[in-house]
Amino acid sequence: VPRHGGGVWAPSLRHHAGRFWLYYPDPDFGIYLVTAIDPRAAWSQPVLVKGGKGLIDPCPLWDEDGLVYLVHGWTKSRSGKNNLLTLNLLSADGSHVTDGDGVVIVDENSAGGGVHTLEGPKLYKRGATYWIFAPVGGVATGSQAVYRSEHIRGPYERRIVLAQGATAVNGPHQGACRPETAPSRKL
């Protein structure tokens, strides 16, 4: 039975400490985690990491100080809010949030930049700088934004790094890079 807009939305697959970690959202229930040592073998049972309606597009980060973070976006159709990125601190095993609702680290609604449909954040750290890659503006005509900060909780500065321009090709959307190819300090 088709479930338009239901079920799993954009997940993040990461490899950390010899294990594959798949964080995925179901915008009607929250963000879940499954793990596996071998991605071709059995995966763990899903664990609800953060419950709530409208939570989408999660991405984890294991910081060198041992803390684990999760950034996610919001869908207006379920939560009544959008164009926000929220950061949560996770338990050491990455299985649940430890700071309640978390903190909004990017708010494009109040940024005055005319950005709409902020989603799909991918969180990285290179050196002492935190980076968030996120599509803005929707699939048909959107752009790829990159946010950077010296502190995980911000403030973040934004720059559009890829745009559709005058082409007939859809705007860039939901891209990611490997951490070792994440940007240098130059933006």
Side-chain angles (χ1 to χ4, degrees):
V1 175
R3 292 182 57 216
H4 301 289
V8 174
W9 287 25
S12 283
L13 176 64
R14 297 291 185 261
H15 188 262
H16 171 75
R19 181 174 297 278
F20 289 88
W21 305 73
L22 181 73
Y23 286 87
Y24 69 88
D26 180 319
D28 292 313
F29 299 100
I31 296 171
Y32 293 85
L33 167 67
V34 292
T35 64
I37 293 172
D38 180 350
R40 296 164 295 220
W43 285 76
S44 67
Q45 289 295 311
V47 172
L48 182 62
V49 175
K50 182 178 181 180
K53 288 196 174 279
L55 289 72
I56 59 168
D57 306 344
C59 185
L61 175 85
W62 290 265
D63 215 337
E64 64 261 0
D65 61 5
L67 296 177
V68 185
Y69 296 96
L70 185 79
V71 66
H72 69 82
W74 295 88
T75 180
K76 192 170 188 174
S77 66
R78 307 303 201 286
S79 67
K81 54 188 168 184
N82 64 345
N83 302 324
L84 304 172
L85 298 181
T86 297
L87 181 75
N88 280 102
L89 182 62
L90 298 182
S91 58
D93 67 358
S95 68
H96 62 277
V97 299
T98 61
D99 63 348
D101 292 334
V103 60
V104 172
I105 57 172
V106 175
D107 180 352
E108 285 292 354
N109 294 311
S110 64
V115 171
H116 301 286
T117 316
L118 170 63
E119 59 185 339
K122 304 300 182 229
L123 179 59
Y124 304 100
K125 184 176 185 185
R126 184 166 180 191
T129 305
Y130 295 92
W131 301 85
I132 301 172
F133 286 51
V136 294
V139 175
T141 60
S143 301
Q144 180 72 34
V146 173
Y147 300 82
R148 76 172 178 198
S149 177
E150 298 300 316
H151 306 282
I152 188 91
R153 288 179 176 82
Y156 282 84
E157 60 181 308
R158 171 179 54 97
R159 178 172 289 177
I160 300 298
V161 295
L162 292 171
Q164 181 179 13
T167 71
V169 177
N170 283 359
H173 204 74
Q174 302 260 356
C177 66
R178 295 188 329 263
E180 62 271 15
T181 62
S184 67
R185 180 69 181 123
K186 294 179 183 175
L187 179 61

